[in-house]
Amino acid sequence: MKKYLTALLLLITVSAFAQNIRMQGTIKDSTGVALEMANVMAVNKATNSMDSYGITDEAGRYQLSLAANSTYTIKASYIGYVPFEITVTTGAENIIKNIVLKQGIELSGIEIVHEMPVTIKGDTIVYNSDSFTNGSERKLGDVLKKLPGVVVDKDGGVTVEGKEVSKLMVEGKDFFDGDTKLGVQNIPADAISKVEVLRNYNEISQLKGVENNQDNVAMNIKLKEGKKNFWFGDVSAGASIGDGDRYLVNPKLFYYNPKFSFNFIGNLNNNGELPLTMQDYFKFSGGFRNLMKKGGTTFNIGSNDLGLSLMRNNRAKEIETKFGAANFSYNPTKAWSLSGFAIINSNKTEMDTKTRNTLLDPLTGEPQTIQDTEEVTEQKTDYAMAKLSSSFKPNKNFQFDYDAFMKTSEQTEGSGLISSVMPETSQSQSIYTNKKQKPFSFNQNANIYYTLTDKNVFAFEAQHLYQEEDPLYNANLDNNPFPGGSGSLSGLVLEPANRYDITQNRFIKTNKADAKLDYYYSLTPKSIINVTLGEAYLYQSFNSSLFQLLDDNTQNDLGPTTANNVRYGLNDAFVGLHYRFITGKFEFNPGVTAHSYNMYNDQLGTRVENNFFRVLPDVFAQFQIKKSERLTYNYSMTTDFTDVSDFARGLVLNSYKSLFQGNRNLKNGLYQNHSLNYFKYNMFNFTQIYGNVTYNHRMDAIKSLSSFDGINQISTVENSPFADESLSAAAGYNRSFARFYKASLNVNVSWNKFNNFRYDPLTGAEVTIANSIRQTSEQFSQTYVGSIGTNYKQWPNLEVGYSLTVNDYADNKFYNHSPFVNFDYYFWDAFTVTANYEYTHYYNDIKTSDNEYDFLSADIMYRKKDSHWEFKVGGTNLLNTTSLNDDSFSQVSTRTSRYRVQPRYLLLTIKYNL
């Protein structure tokens, strides 16, 4: 089928090109200087529609694709120049036309610029939405996918010029700060007038000229005039057709005016639609910045969650969701603005998974022990987030910002599994586990920015984090997983019982405070000195206990070796010096930061301290080859610290087959990171090329020392003298042809080398790296994705692509071949048909895993022009696929699994547009 669809696409492309001729030439000023980034477009006089547009390159060249034997109005414009307009009648031959623009007042320039599909004003790219859409779009993500140079992934993430969009705004106001997904999936497409991409973005105008902002990209959505000062949005309700009890209720409400804005999004469903996943919850930052980004120190906190099962591809056996989110902004005065959001969510999920875990031999890397499991899991997750922000800017020289961000959740998971182990086939048992946790965090920051003179800028930033975690883990097993307390590290002795019921309590509290003062002094307009003074302080407490519930419901306290009472503190006082200067096309920003570290942990009645001094360098360099072509290099050296749980000496039950004991003598790791990035965006032929290479070298990394009895693991940690390394590279090519066609090819490869250690508890030797067997494991992953597609206004649109992923784990390769087809068609000014098909062939080279499945979803929608009502019949999993596969690699084992997904269903949805 893929061959037929590709042939059809090529036939449509060839036939469309065959009807066109090309008009090309140059746009220069009256002195003969080429004007780069000038706009030119062709308006068909017969249809009054724009048939083609172009943007000039560095030589002032442009090109337009026009229909033969037609009459056009050709318009050209450039900021600061009088607009140009001429009538051209095409024949069967190509046309060469050079255009000269005169400097002057742009009497009608604003109107022409607004009509242009793409305009560039300095660091801002402006897309005119109507120039790329055909009426089949329903949400912002559908619009963004059709814009040249913009990529939207399956999770709602947006990248432009190969860089992630870190902030989404509507009419200049934050839209759920810290995430683009909610906007991409909910802002109505028909409300969008312009999409502004803000490159080199900095929220603080005073710092824009003194800091490197090359990696910062924001996006601002401009609304159509009819959507301002009025409530708009839609309300959808749906129910399953035929068998099943699926439902959907999805209200969306928006209001924007210059002083006040409000957004509300609700979603109740049991059809698998997830407005935010648990992955989104964990990474949702609320837009908080990393104050110590340049400082060279990382604190790894928040690693004490239970590792609840996460849905792959947002798919599971059953999913029920209740979601609500509200966002507002308000300007009490011209100088003061308030904004904030609140999100609540409740998910009930059922998962049915078959998994094979393979433990690798430490010497040969060959499979040593294989565990097959069949697991049924029920999960309930409730979470809430809220943020309040204030910004006061009475004049251009002073700004005071304050933000407060709260996250809390209640998560429970119960699972039952049947486990069998090979070659020890007798080691089979039924296992029931329960997980509960109620993490809470409160983050706040206060920032002051003051410009004394044009040459002197001060920035004070402070941030505080308070966090609580209370994971509870319970395992109920047929057999004793750690018989006789085997292992010199363990010492865990369980009382005989019909079933072994073990519970682990943990309580972790974190306080982290950071503050820094930056002073920027401009020696010249192109050279700046930056002096930084700062301090970061971390304090954590860790308490845990482990007990066994006996057959008579009494508790067996498992002794002092299973209890923890740890206090951990870390202080980092630092001073940094950076010098930024620009010469010609080159920019350099080298710097050094001197740190004084003080670290301690208190437990078992004693204190262990680690105090030291370190100087850490960093370098940023950029070669601006052309306006839209650059090469950048970053180097950084980072001191890495772990959190309190790795210091705790008492035994911790991580899972029914894993015991852990910390090491109170741990030190820090030292990481070095190099990255080289290339980017080119040619607006002349709408081609985007990017590539990057990153190398990471990790010394003194904290590594696991493990002993295995079958699948049961007992481990501790120690700083490793052997370096871990990783090398990754990515490249992408995206191009739009004559406005109506697009093609893309993206490649990602990564290589990782890890060092892990096995010890033999029977020797009785001290558990150290020196007395362990070093196991070096490597992972090599490759992903290739290519696609070609159309972007017609009045014809069906088709995208055909192919994805190949190869994961090489311990001499075992897993392959995932996945061709895909996307289709949309808007016709008769009322009907929209969309369809998405994906086929997957998943297997490994030794054929222990081999599965083929495909997914087809389709919608047909009816809405008359200017009507408030829309009717949709949608089908999900129309081919009724029952299960999916995935695989992963840890440093001591490989895992491959197959999990059940929701069956086929049809949903009738009625939507009312306000």
Side-chain angles (χ1 to χ4, degrees):
M1 183 180 71
K2 181 170 68 71
K3 294 180 179 179
Y4 291 120
L5 291 174
T6 304
L8 175 62
L9 179 61
L10 292 175
L11 179 62
I12 294 173
T13 303
V14 170
S15 62
F17 269 120
Q19 301 171 22
N20 290 347
I21 62 102
R22 185 167 58 191
M23 178 177 174
Q24 60 186 1
T26 61
I27 299 180
K28 299 181 179 181
D29 67 11
S30 54
T31 65
V33 175
L35 298 177
E36 184 180 2
M37 302 298 180
N39 296 279
V40 59
M41 69 176 176
V43 178
N44 191 310
K45 280 203 165 187
T47 62
N48 198 32
S49 63
M50 183 191 62
D51 281 5
S52 186
Y53 72 94
I55 295 176
T56 57
D57 63 7
E58 68 276 4
R61 295 177 300 173
Y62 75 91
Q63 62 181 14
L64 301 172
S65 179
L66 307 178
N69 304 311
S70 303
T71 301
Y72 287 93
T73 299
I74 307 298
K75 298 182 179 183
S77 66
Y78 190 75
I79 296 175
Y81 288 76
V82 177
F84 174 90
E85 185 173 315
I86 192 175
T87 300
V88 171
T89 300
T90 62
E93 302 294 330
N94 292 334
I95 298 173
I96 296 177
K97 176 62 180 177
N98 296 324
I99 297 172
V100 176
L101 297 183
K102 298 179 181 179
Q103 286 187 317
I105 300 174
E106 299 175 82
L107 297 178
S108 58
I110 294 178
E111 179 183 355
I112 291 179
V113 167
H114 279 197
E115 292 176 353
M116 287 292 176
V118 183
T119 59
I120 298 179
K121 304 175 184 178
D123 287 331
T124 302
I125 305 174
V126 182
Y127 296 94
N128 180 31
S129 173
D130 289 342
S131 299
F132 299 93
T133 57
N134 63 3
S136 65
E137 304 80 15
R138 292 298 183 269
K139 54 192 178 184
L140 172 61
D142 300 328
V143 176
L144 296 180
K145 290 176 182 178
K146 296 187 175 182
L147 305 183
V150 180
V151 178
V152 182
D153 63 29
K154 293 180 180 179
D155 296 322
V158 183
T159 56
V160 179
E161 300 184 349
K163 296 178 180 177
E164 183 179 1
V165 174
S166 57
K167 177 182 283 289
L168 179 65
M169 298 175 286
V170 178
E171 291 291 326
K173 304 177 188 298
D174 290 348
F175 191 90
F176 294 96
D177 195 15
D179 185 76
T180 60
K181 183 175 183 176
L182 287 177
V184 165
Q185 295 186 347
N186 291 284
I187 296 176
D190 59 5
I192 302 167
S193 172
K194 303 284 186 296
V195 176
E196 297 178 340
V197 175
L198 312 175
R199 300 174 294 180
N200 302 323
Y201 179 76
N202 196 318
E203 293 182 79
I204 312 304
S205 57
Q206 292 141 289
L207 302 183
K208 187 171 178 63
V210 298
E211 289 189 336
N212 296 316
N213 305 301
Q214 282 78 3
D215 292 331
N216 298 338
V217 179
M219 183 172 284
N220 181 45
I221 307 302
K222 303 290 288 185
L223 300 174
K224 293 178 178 177
E225 288 301 321
K227 303 299 181 181
K228 300 176 185 178
N229 298 306
F230 294 96
W231 291 97
F232 68 94
D234 57 68
V235 178
S236 301
S240 54
I241 302 173
D243 295 335
D245 54 356
R246 306 294 172 182
Y247 64 85
L248 168 68
V249 180
N250 187 198
K252 305 172 189 176
L253 192 63
F254 308 92
Y255 179 82
Y256 281 88
N257 70 27
K259 191 171 184 177
F260 175 74
S261 72
F262 177 81
N263 309 290
F264 172 77
I265 301 168
N267 199 314
L268 306 175
N269 74 83
N270 66 349
N271 64 351
E273 183 177 321
L274 290 172
L276 287 180
T277 65
M278 279 305 297
Q279 293 96 321
D280 297 324
Y281 169 79
F282 287 126
K283 72 180 184 181
F284 208 106
S285 66
F288 272 57
R289 296 178 296 276
N290 179 9
L291 297 189
M292 303 305 157
K293 181 173 61 177
K294 290 193 306 182
T297 303
T298 59
F299 301 89
N300 294 318
I301 58 175
S303 58
N304 297 289
D305 62 86
L306 289 168
L308 269 68
S309 303
L310 299 176
M311 289 163 285
R312 280 80 39 134
N313 304 321
N314 294 349
R315 293 170 178 155
K317 182 180 178 181
E318 290 292 337
I319 310 172
E320 182 178 350
T321 297
K322 298 176 182 179
F323 176 86
N327 172 227
F328 85 96
S329 67
Y330 174 60
N331 290 36
T333 67
K334 290 184 178 180
W336 185 25
S337 64
L338 296 170
S339 64
F341 65 81
I343 298 173
I344 58 174
N345 189 84
S346 177
N347 286 337
K348 291 182 179 179
T349 308
E350 294 181 27
M351 288 170 277
D352 189 344
T353 309
K354 294 183 179 180
T355 304
R356 167 163 289 189
N357 289 290
T358 303
L359 182 66
L360 305 177
D361 186 276
L363 296 177
T364 65
E366 295 295 321
Q368 184 182 53
T369 305
I370 297 174
Q371 179 193 21
D372 289 322
T373 62
E374 296 184 20
E375 182 174 12
V376 176
T377 302
E378 293 185 358
Q379 189 179 101
K380 177 72 164 62
T381 302
D382 300 313
Y383 62 77
M385 293 181 279
K387 181 184 178 183
L388 180 65
S389 300
S390 169
S391 181
F392 179 65
K393 191 173 183 179
N395 55 63
K396 66 177 183 179
N397 295 325
F398 180 83
Q399 181 170 338
F400 172 63
D401 295 339
Y402 175 79
D403 302 281
F405 180 47
M406 182 273 295
K407 293 171 67 175
T408 185
S409 66
E410 182 173 355
Q411 305 158 23
T412 61
E413 178 180 294
S415 67
L417 64 88
I418 302 296
S419 168
S420 60
V421 180
M422 297 178 291
E424 304 162 50
T425 54
S426 61
Q427 189 176 340
S428 301
Q429 59 178 319
S430 63
I431 302 167
Y432 299 95
T433 64
N434 290 285
K435 301 176 182 179
K436 297 180 181 180
Q437 58 187 20
K438 296 181 180 180
F440 170 83
S441 68
F442 182 72
N443 204 341
Q444 56 184 332
N445 68 4
N447 308 316
I448 298 174
Y449 308 96
Y450 176 63
T451 302
L452 180 63
T453 67
D454 290 341
K455 291 189 174 183
N456 298 273
V457 178
F458 295 86
F460 174 77
E461 299 173 306
Q463 190 170 118
H464 173 252
L465 169 67
Y466 174 76
Q467 182 171 285
E468 291 182 354
E469 299 167 279
D470 62 344
L472 181 145
Y473 181 81
N474 171 259
N476 189 301
L477 306 90
D478 283 335
N479 305 313
N480 185 352
F482 305 101
S486 62
S488 60
L489 178 66
S490 170
L492 179 65
V493 180
L494 300 178
E495 293 291 334
N498 291 326
R499 291 189 63 87
Y500 290 85
D501 190 321
I502 314 167
T503 298
Q504 172 83 57
N505 285 299
R506 280 184 280 169
F507 302 93
I508 306 97
K509 290 186 179 181
T510 300
N511 272 284
K512 182 175 180 289
D514 306 322
K516 71 183 181 78
L517 175 66
D518 279 295
Y519 169 61
Y520 302 91
Y521 178 70
S522 299
L523 297 170
T524 70
K526 292 188 177 182
S527 61
I528 297 168
I529 292 178
N530 170 214
V531 178
T532 304
L533 298 174
E535 187 164 9
Y537 177 72
L538 172 68
Y539 176 80
Q540 290 185 296
S541 63
F542 181 99
N543 294 276
S544 71
S545 61
L546 186 64
F547 64 88
Q548 178 188 6
L549 186 65
L550 301 177
D551 295 340
D552 59 1
N553 289 324
T554 60
Q555 289 187 5
N556 172 30
D557 187 343
L558 295 176
T561 62
T562 67
N564 283 292
N565 185 356
V566 187
R567 302 296 178 264
Y568 169 57
L570 172 61
N571 190 76
D572 172 22
F574 59 92
V575 56
L577 177 64
H578 290 80
Y579 177 51
R580 180 188 181 203
F581 65 96
I582 301 173
T583 174
K585 295 183 177 182
F586 293 90
E587 176 181 347
F588 299 95
N589 190 358
V592 293
T593 306
H595 296 261
S596 176
Y597 295 108
N598 305 99
M599 181 175 68
Y600 70 87
N601 70 84
D602 290 330
Q603 57 183 310
L604 303 175
T606 60
R607 169 174 289 197
V608 173
E609 295 189 54
N610 181 25
N611 304 320
F612 62 99
F613 180 84
R614 177 171 289 162
V615 177
L616 301 172
D618 62 272
V619 176
F620 170 84
Q622 176 173 272
F623 175 33
Q624 192 73 42
I625 304 169
K626 296 176 182 177
K627 284 186 178 181
S628 296
E629 185 179 11
R630 62 180 176 270
L631 184 68
T632 60
Y633 168 75
N634 278 281
Y635 167 77
S636 63
M637 182 179 288
T638 304
T639 305
D640 181 74
F641 293 92
T642 188
D643 80 338
V644 64
S645 59
D646 281 335
F647 293 90
R649 287 293 297 162
L651 285 170
V652 174
L653 184 69
N654 285 331
S655 76
Y656 66 88
K657 58 181 179 180
S658 176
L659 278 172
F660 173 79
Q661 186 177 53
N663 180 352
R664 66 180 311 189
N665 296 308
L666 291 176
K667 294 179 170 52
N668 60 280
L670 184 63
Y671 296 175
Q672 296 188 61
N673 188 79
H674 302 260
S675 66
L676 185 66
N677 297 271
Y678 171 79
F679 178 79
K680 180 179 181 180
Y681 189 25
N682 189 335
M683 295 294 288
F684 173 69
N685 55 16
F686 298 100
T687 300
Q688 176 180 285
I689 302 172
Y690 70 89
N692 60 72
V693 179
T694 300
Y695 172 73
N696 191 275
H697 186 273
R698 300 178 292 277
M699 282 297 298
D700 298 322
I702 295 175
K703 306 300 297 184
S704 173
L705 286 71
S706 301
S707 170
F708 287 89
D709 179 8
I711 62 170
N712 298 321
Q713 177 181 3
I714 302 171
S715 61
T716 185
V717 286
E718 186 178 340
N719 293 95
S720 168
F722 304 97
D724 287 349
E725 298 176 276
S726 65
L727 178 66
S728 62
Y733 172 87
N734 300 281
R735 181 169 179 178
S736 298
F737 303 88
R739 255 188 83 221
F740 302 113
Y741 316 99
K742 58 183 180 180
S744 69
L745 176 64
N746 297 278
V747 178
N748 288 273
V749 296
S750 65
W751 168 83
N752 294 276
K753 186 185 79 171
F754 305 101
N755 293 282
N756 289 280
F757 303 89
R758 301 278 187 93
Y759 69 90
D760 185 353
L762 300 180
T763 65
E766 183 182 2
V767 181
T768 64
I769 285 179
N771 294 325
S772 301
I773 300 172
R774 180 162 69 106
Q775 175 185 357
T776 301
S777 56
E778 297 186 15
Q779 171 193 0
F780 184 56
S781 299
Q782 309 164 67
T783 300
Y784 308 90
V785 183
S787 67
I788 55 176
T790 63
N791 190 21
Y792 295 124
K793 282 271 192 177
Q794 299 177 345
W795 293 90
N797 285 305
L798 190 67
E799 180 186 20
V800 178
Y802 199 94
S803 171
L804 169 63
T805 300
V806 183
N807 290 322
D808 190 347
Y809 306 140
D811 298 324
N812 191 3
K813 291 184 178 180
F814 294 85
Y815 298 87
N816 196 327
H817 294 265
S818 183
F820 58 89
V821 180
N822 300 314
F823 172 86
D824 72 80
Y825 184 29
Y826 178 69
F827 56 99
W828 296 345
D829 290 330
F831 287 92
T832 300
V833 176
T834 64
N836 307 100
Y837 173 79
E838 182 178 8
Y839 165 84
T840 297
H841 184 196
Y842 172 90
Y843 61 95
N844 64 354
D845 52 0
I846 59 177
K847 300 301 180 181
T848 56
S849 296
D850 195 334
N851 193 21
E852 296 182 59
Y853 53 87
D854 48 4
F855 269 88
L856 173 64
S857 61
D859 300 312
I860 180 167
M861 292 160 275
Y862 173 77
R863 179 186 177 187
K864 285 186 177 181
K865 190 174 182 180
D866 299 325
S867 172
H868 291 284
W869 294 95
E870 178 178 283
F871 303 89
K872 179 176 77 171
V873 174
T876 299
N877 192 11
L878 291 173
L879 302 176
N880 211 26
T881 295
T882 59
S883 63
L884 303 182
N885 286 82
D886 70 357
D887 61 82
S888 66
F889 170 79
S890 74
Q891 298 176 26
V892 295
S893 65
T894 65
R895 180 194 62 80
T896 179
S897 66
R898 177 181 295 190
Y899 53 100
R900 290 179 59 85
V901 296
Q902 292 186 114
R904 172 178 53 221
Y905 62 84
L906 294 175
L907 203 69
L908 171 63
T909 304
I910 300 174
K911 181 167 71 173
Y912 180 78
N913 295 279
L914 301 178

